[in-house]
Amino acid sequence: MGIASDIIMLVTVAFLAGLVVQRCGLPLILGYILTGIILGPFTGGLTVEHAHDIELLAEIGVALLLFSLGLEFSLRDLAPIRQVTLIGTPLQMILTIILGLGIGRWFGWGWNDSIWLGALLSLSSTMVLLKTLMSQGRIGTLPSRVMIGMLIVQDLAVVPLMILLPQMKNPAIGLPAIGMALLKAAIFIGGMLLVGTRVLPILMTHIARLGSRELFLLAITAIGLGIGLITWKVGLSFALGAFVAGMVLNQSEYGHQALSDIIPVRDLFGLLFFASVGMLLDPAFLLANLGTVILLVVVAGLGKGLIFSLTAWLFGYRGIVPLAVGLGLFQIGEFSFVLARLGVSTGSIGHDLYSLILAAAVVTMILTPLVTAQTSRLFSLWQRHHQPTAPEQINFPEAGLRRHVIIAGGGRVGFQIARVLQRIGLEFVIIEIDHQSLSAAREAGMPVIFGDASHAIVLEAAGVKTARMLVITTPSVITSQEIIRLAREGQPNLPDLANLKIIARTSDPDFFPVFERLGVLDVVLPEYEAGIEMTRQVLSHLQIPISSIQQQTAALREELLCSCSSSPEQFRSLSSLRRADQQFDLQWLLLESASPLVGRTIAEAAIRKMTGASVVGVLRAGAMTANPAPDFRFESGDQVAIIGPLTAREAFQRLVDNR
């Protein structure tokens, strides 16, 4: 079967290894790397026959990952971090090359090998970091945006490095080639942004109108990989082209659909990438040079992490950002493999350096999920011994806040909540770390704090000690858990303030029991709520009685959430109270010309006696009559407001409809 049998073996073993690492609480990518080690050419036993072909397919995995990242990434996201990415990343790479030069000379290597070592160390792994951030729910945070921006610039820097490093003995030959490569990159990106933003949306609209989901998936895959192929043909990075294609497609209305469709394909090819990384590791070489590999991993990892942290700090980032950037980007990247292969093929470096970098890179990739998971813990430890800087407060009332609502996240959801609270005059404060959302809240005159709600100093500045409610709008469960933990710790043991009410959001019902254990008052599942609302709309347009619609939607919500709750009886009791509250909801009904009420007064129709409902208002030609008298006479087109139990409202509706 050739390569087909290799892929079948990889998928099967990856599934089994994934089960094992998942049960151990470790990231799935470690299971994928373990799969590559097991099936690699250096371990014996069951071995793939076409390892090189698997490596070539893995390049598609890298491209698809960056394509999906582009679909989530907007050019607006780059604006706030442009300085640290465009200036800080080259600075980081230069400092890391100097670090590698020092390590190489310490090992007794020549200048050429030492510079190559520094260049290989200067690149971090886009694939490993993105997969780690996704599994930890940290995509979208400020540290993740800084890291992704720096990785993009690193990927761009691979092209000049591939030209310059083999020409180190005669740099004058390489400089024109570097200039040409940079010119090509600028022309390509500019052309994609200019032409792609006009052509791709029209193309996707035409394809979407055909109504074929298979054709839509084929189209977005062809766009991502096809544009990547074009960039490769002109001498640029295949993955870079896919990323730019994703960013351009993100500007169209089909960006979200494209992302949801491409994820399964991306994850399958991503498995092949991590397995190919594992296949590169030679356990015999690792054991024979274990001391050197460990020393290189420790020294290079610590030094590179410190350089990244220092770079972020120099560009004005404080708090958890420098720590997260250092712990997230310390590893050696997949593009280092490409550079190392080029070095061997051109005779610039020997096989020993190639094997050493390979082993160190795989080890750092394996360590990445474990190291990045310690970010919050280490930052909390640091905070115990340092007094953090108070976050920026905007539009705060002079008298301060008390018995207010804290909204953790001022995006679309948080901003809607804040607008309603502002209209009805309730005190609130928004905690926001995104500059664009921060500006929108500032312009709306809303009190807002610039900071990350998962930090104690930020919650303290938001007045968590005197707050009555905390609303967490982030979909990240990890972030929500940390915010809730800090909020509970920040609440004093006072009778009127001890029970802070918390409302949170999650996209996965499996986490519902987790929020229950944390004492969350209510958990919102956006997809389920959308389904319930669509059900209500369907039943409403089918002219199902409102009382029946309320019963069905309440039952649907109860079925969905009771299955997720660890205490379903308690939830059923709460649902019963909510339904009882709905029994006396205000209801509006339109009087058609054929209604028997038209032309009659309230007294003549004996509404209260016949139905049990009370007429509390009538809207006619834009004018409202509240609590109309018994002699009020109905006309066609009146909007009648009634109040009463469900049975009374149903009886009134039958009266209006002459049923």
Side-chain angles (χ1 to χ4, degrees), residues 384-528:
R384 293 176 188 173
H385 301 88
H386 296 79
Q387 181 63 35
T389 305
E392 181 183 2
Q393 297 177 335
I394 302 168
N395 296 331
F396 257 61
E398 295 182 2
L401 295 169
R402 184 175 178 83
R403 303 294 288 163
H404 57 289
V405 178
I406 298 176
I407 303 173
R412 286 179 294 181
V413 175
F415 196 75
Q416 287 178 2
I417 298 170
R419 286 177 63 187
V420 173
L421 295 178
Q422 189 179 45
R423 286 172 185 169
I424 61 180
L426 290 179
E427 288 192 333
F428 68 93
V429 61
I430 299 174
I431 300 175
E432 182 53 62
I433 201 167
D434 179 74
H435 286 273
Q436 187 174 1
S437 299
L438 184 78
S439 299
R442 179 195 287 115
E443 292 172 3
M446 298 175 179
V448 59
I449 291 177
F450 177 64
D452 189 340
S454 61
H455 298 164
I457 184 65
V458 176
L459 285 176
E460 184 178 345
V464 71
K465 293 181 179 180
T466 59
R468 64 192 299 187
M469 180 175 287
L470 171 63
V471 182
I472 304 172
T473 65
T474 175
S476 169
V477 177
I478 295 176
T479 304
S480 297
Q481 285 179 284
E482 182 66 12
I483 294 172
I484 294 168
R485 183 186 67 80
L486 293 173
R488 293 296 188 199
E489 291 178 357
Q491 280 279 303
N493 295 321
L494 298 177
D496 60 331
L497 297 175
N499 297 321
L500 176 69
K501 295 180 176 62
I502 300 177
I503 297 175
R505 158 190 184 183
T506 181
S507 57
D508 192 341
D510 291 339
F511 291 109
F512 199 80
V514 174
F515 285 108
E516 277 191 318
R517 289 193 294 270
L518 292 170
V520 175
L521 174 67
D522 220 339
V523 181
V524 178
L525 298 121
E527 290 81 5
Y528 284 170

Side-chain angles (χ1 to χ4, degrees), residues 274-412:
F274 289 109
S276 69
V277 169
M279 286 189 288
L280 294 173
L281 183 63
D282 183 356
F285 177 86
L286 182 61
L287 292 175
N289 300 272
L290 187 60
T292 305
V293 172
I294 292 177
L295 185 60
L296 179 59
V297 168
V298 172
V299 175
L302 288 175
K304 189 175 177 182
L306 287 173
I307 289 172
F308 270 108
S309 297
L310 178 63
T311 303
W313 185 84
L314 286 174
F315 282 85
Y317 293 94
R318 298 294 184 267
I320 199 172
V321 177
L323 180 63
V325 171
L327 294 178
L329 297 177
F330 75 94
Q331 77 285 128
I332 303 171
E334 58 272 0
F335 280 114
S336 297
F337 302 157
V338 178
L339 276 179
R341 288 197 195 104
L342 177 66
V344 172
S345 63
T346 58
S348 300
I349 60 174
H351 284 279
D352 289 343
L353 177 56
Y354 174 79
S355 300
L356 181 63
I357 282 292
L358 213 59
V362 174
V363 171
T364 57
M365 288 180 176
I366 293 173
L367 291 175
T368 297
L370 306 177
V371 172
T372 54
Q374 309 306 314
T375 302
S376 298
R377 188 173 303 159
L378 291 174
F379 184 70
S380 299
L381 185 64
W382 179 85
Q383 283 185 313
R384 293 176 188 173
H385 301 88
H386 296 79
Q387 181 63 35
T389 305
E392 181 183 2
Q393 297 177 335
I394 302 168
N395 296 331
F396 257 61
E398 295 182 2
L401 295 169
R402 184 175 178 83
R403 303 294 288 163
H404 57 289
V405 178
I406 298 176
I407 303 173
R412 286 179 294 181

Side-chain angles (χ1 to χ4, degrees), residues 131-158:
K131 198 68 177 177
T132 301
L133 292 174
M134 290 174 184
S135 64
Q136 295 178 352
R138 298 184 185 275
I139 288 289
T141 62
L142 179 59
S144 73
R145 292 202 299 272
V146 172
M147 288 187 280
I148 291 169
M150 298 183 82
L151 286 169
I152 292 170
V153 177
Q154 282 188 359
D155 292 344
L156 286 169
V158 170

Side-chain angles (χ1 to χ4, degrees), residues 545 587 589-615 634 640 642 646-659:
Q587 182 174 335
L589 291 167
L590 174 66
L591 295 187
E592 304 283 355
S593 57
S595 173
L597 289 183
V598 173
R600 301 173 67 186
T601 66
I602 295 176
E604 290 171 351
I607 292 175
R608 182 61 183 265
K609 180 180 178 181
M610 297 294 294
T611 67
S614 299
V615 177
F634 294 112
V640 182
I642 61 169
L646 273 176
T647 54
R649 286 181 282 149
E650 288 175 349
F652 183 81
Q653 186 165 16
R654 288 193 296 270
L655 178 63
V656 169
D657 297 338
N658 197 19
R659 289 188 282 126

Side-chain angles (χ1 to χ4, degrees), residues 525-575:
L525 298 121
E527 290 81 5
Y528 284 170
E529 293 299 328
I532 291 171
E533 174 59 21
M534 291 186 72
T535 302
R536 191 192 69 79
Q537 294 279 1
V538 169
L539 296 178
S540 176
H541 287 292
L542 292 174
Q543 297 183 348
I544 304 299
I546 293 178
S547 58
S548 179
I549 295 176
Q550 291 176 341
Q551 290 174 353
Q552 294 300 325
T553 54
L556 183 59
R557 181 178 283 107
E558 183 174 325
E559 290 169 5
L560 291 172
L561 299 184
C562 278
S563 62
C564 306
S565 175
S566 59
S567 54
E569 291 302 323
Q570 181 181 357
F571 183 81
R572 287 193 182 95
S573 299
L574 181 60
S575 297

